[in-house]
Amino acid sequence: MKTKWKKLLGSVLALALLLGVLLPGGKAEAAQETLLNTYGSLFGYSGTCINLSQLRDANTLAHVKTHYNSITLENEMKPDAMLGYSPKLITKEAAANAGYYVPSSCTETYLPAINFDTLDEVLRICYENGLSVRAHTLVWQSQTRYWFFRVGYSKDYGYVSAAQMDIRMEYYIKSVMNHVYTSKYGKIVYAWDVVNEYLHADNSGWQAIYGNVTTSPAFVKRAFQYAHDCISYFGLTDSVSLFYNDYNTYMEVDDVIRMIQYINSDKKLCDGVGMQSHLGTTFPSVEYYTTALQSFVNAGLEVQITELDVVNKGNTDQANYMYDLMTNILRIKKKGGNITCITHWGISDDVTWIKGEKPLLFSTLGVAKDAYYRVLAAYKDAGFGIGGGTGTQPTLQNGWYYIKNVHSQKYLQTAGNAGGNSVNVEIGTGSGAAGQKWYVTNLGDGYITLKNGFGYMLDVQYGANEDGTNIQTYSANGADAQKFKLMGTSNAGAYGIVTKVSSDGKGLDVYNWGSSDGVNVCQWTYYGEENQMWIFEPCNN
């Protein structure tokens, strides 16, 4: 009877958490916390690994939308899935007519068809449900079929030359990326793993044609050039990131950094590293992993944690490891580390790729484990609140204020002390000018507007939800681009100012921790450090 009662009570508690209702002595804010409105808001993307059949399931999709805003296809965007296990050859003219990118230097009569059916359906579902996509992966030795490297696309012939393989690689990369970004749904693809696991390549067609693994692989650099050509053509270089993705990156930090530096030696082609994080509580240690992460950040790389799961000795062991791991990741993020996504590699333990193990945060769909709650506890203990801020949301009275940045001790102002539409916002030495005065109006829903002394509103340019988006002034129009929320910080009397267009995930940021007059103010992922803290000093207008 005790066992049955405990099971019943557990079910009631689980239901209460899902519905967000209060049990006696409970706290409403705990019921509201999810991976999405905590880590997703702070890092920009909270992700999971999934396949099309799971996305088609209404219950799974609802779970995904609760905790994640990003998905990565486990296998269905890899070359063998897109090209097929055996080639389906079409004429070069047919390929061009189908919208494929055919390099002008291509001399082959026949080219392999690419199957976009699964990808198109995934993009549609994600677009209709507010989910973004990490594209994984374009160049990978492990799941590219042997025939792609052979003369005539046939196992009966030898390998093509390096020059011919360059053309095939360009054909594949640009055809896939062009297909995505000419689709009505393509804008949701925000990152690409251009090259996967090159440093661990062994006995593949890539090595047979291009030679042994080094930290200066010319064909890898060309792959990034082809991918960069595409996002540049579509005007997406500021909103789409290109990654080198690999496992055990904590063991090969220097090689990864050297290779990316080589790729970027002429111009920046690779934005950063995808740290596959198939971890275990016995190895690597949290400290070992953290040291690698900090090294990538120090090298100026964007980092996405791309394939996180943790093999463990049991629930408590996993929960403790995950708490310590997330605490360290959050610490680096809080100090300004450019970490932009955490992707958990699977929905739940019953569908994990690591058979017989229990490495994820959910045991089955929607059934959270101790590790899940410890991950949320790490977020809270790091000083962050829902929406990426720290502490509870403060309020200010309506009225006029100077707004001083904590790090620079300079004031939020319009460039040239000008009033008007599309006037840039920056920091400057206090002068009492109209361009440094801001009227706070509480809207009654937690958001405020900020109107300067010339009567123009603080505004996120184009209402974009992107890091680096400019902050300007514009005529009042009631749009979300002119709505902001104050966030409590660890500095008493200072606030973060997050933007509604980012769902409170990004805030007003003094670019690159600048402190000189005229340094630009932009929107950036909110992590609550001093270059994102602002003191409101009452004044008269």
Side-chain angles (χ1 to χ4, degrees), residues 352-380:
T352 177
W353 72 291
I354 311 177
K355 304 303 180 185
E357 301 289 350
K358 299 178 180 179
L360 298 170
L361 301 183
F362 296 87
S363 56
T364 56
L365 186 65
V367 180
K369 297 163 59 179
D370 292 346
Y372 169 81
Y373 296 106
R374 292 293 282 161
V375 164
L376 293 181
Y379 183 88
K380 183 177 180 180

Side-chain angles (χ1 to χ4, degrees), residues 50-94:
I50 204 166
N51 59 47
L52 175 56
S53 64
Q54 291 170 325
L55 276 173
R56 286 171 172 166
D57 179 74
N59 291 330
T60 302
L61 184 59
H63 171 83
V64 169
K65 290 166 65 175
T66 298
H67 293 283
Y68 312 105
N69 60 357
S70 168
I71 65 100
T72 305
L73 287 173
E74 186 173 15
N75 288 297
E76 290 159 307
M77 277 194 77
K78 292 174 181 174
D80 58 354
M82 302 287 287
L83 290 166
Y85 284 86
S86 58
K88 178 184 177 182
L89 298 180
I90 58 177
T91 65
K92 182 166 62 174
E93 291 73 20

Side-chain angles (χ1 to χ4, degrees), residues 121-321:
E121 186 173 353
V122 167
L123 293 179
R124 178 187 60 78
I125 293 172
C126 290
Y127 179 88
E128 292 173 351
N129 288 277
L131 299 171
S132 297
V133 174
R134 290 194 83 259
H136 176 75
T137 177
L138 292 167
V139 175
W140 188 27
Q141 80 284 346
S142 184
Q143 285 183 236
T144 305
R145 298 295 290 171
Y146 65 87
W147 56 261
F148 190 59
F149 305 98
R150 303 279 183 160
V151 173
Y153 301 101
S154 171
K155 64 180 178 62
D156 297 327
Y157 299 102
Y159 291 105
V160 299
S161 67
Q164 183 63 53
M165 197 64 227
D166 286 349
I167 296 171
R168 290 186 178 184
M169 181 168 62
E170 184 178 14
Y171 164 76
Y172 180 72
I173 290 174
K174 291 187 176 181
S175 291
V176 172
M177 295 184 73
N178 284 0
H179 181 87
V180 166
Y181 290 122
T182 54
S183 162
K184 65 179 289 188
Y185 312 120
K187 67 180 181 180
I188 65 173
V189 180
Y190 68 96
W192 293 80
D193 289 332
V194 177
V195 177
N196 195 55
E197 299 178 7
Y198 165 75
L199 291 174
H200 293 99
D202 181 37
N203 194 31
S204 78
W206 298 108
Q207 279 64 57
I209 294 172
Y210 292 114
N212 293 333
V213 171
T214 72
T215 56
S216 54
F219 88 93
V220 169
K221 185 173 184 175
R222 283 191 290 275
F224 275 94
Q225 180 65 66
Y226 299 149
H228 188 271
D229 288 346
C230 284
I231 62 171
S232 179
Y233 176 82
F234 288 102
L236 299 171
T237 51
D238 293 332
S239 57
V240 175
S241 295
L242 305 178
F243 290 93
Y244 172 70
N245 191 60
D246 210 335
Y247 64 88
N248 290 358
T249 47
Y250 41 83
M251 299 175 67
E252 293 148 348
V253 175
D254 293 340
D255 284 348
V256 172
I257 292 174
R258 268 195 296 269
M259 187 174 71
I260 294 178
Q261 288 173 340
Y262 163 74
I263 293 167
N264 292 337
S265 56
D266 298 318
K267 64 178 179 179
K268 186 176 182 180
L269 302 173
C270 176
D271 292 285
V273 58
M275 288 185 72
Q276 291 184 30
S277 300
H278 300 298
L279 311 177
T281 56
T282 58
F283 183 83
S285 69
V286 169
E287 290 72 21
Y288 189 27
Y289 180 94
T290 305
T291 298
L293 176 59
Q294 186 67 64
S295 295
F296 291 134
V297 166
N298 292 346
L301 300 177
E302 181 179 353
V303 180
Q304 293 195 343
I305 296 167
T306 56
E307 303 183 21
L308 177 59
D309 47 33
V310 178
V311 174
N312 55 82
K313 301 175 184 176
N315 282 346
T316 300
D317 182 48
Q318 181 196 21
N320 290 339
Y321 185 93

Side-chain angles (χ1 to χ4, degrees), residues 334-336 404-410 489-491 494-496 508-510 513-514 526-535:
K334 197 170 187 179
K335 291 181 178 179
K404 182 170 68 176
N405 180 254
V406 170
H407 172 69
S408 66
Q409 294 294 294
K410 300 289 177 67
T489 72
S490 57
N491 187 326
Y495 310 103
L508 267 60
D509 179 288
V510 178
W513 286 74
Y526 183 68
Y527 50 86
E529 284 295 302
E530 288 188 348
N531 66 316
Q532 295 184 335
M533 293 182 185
W534 305 88
I535 296 171

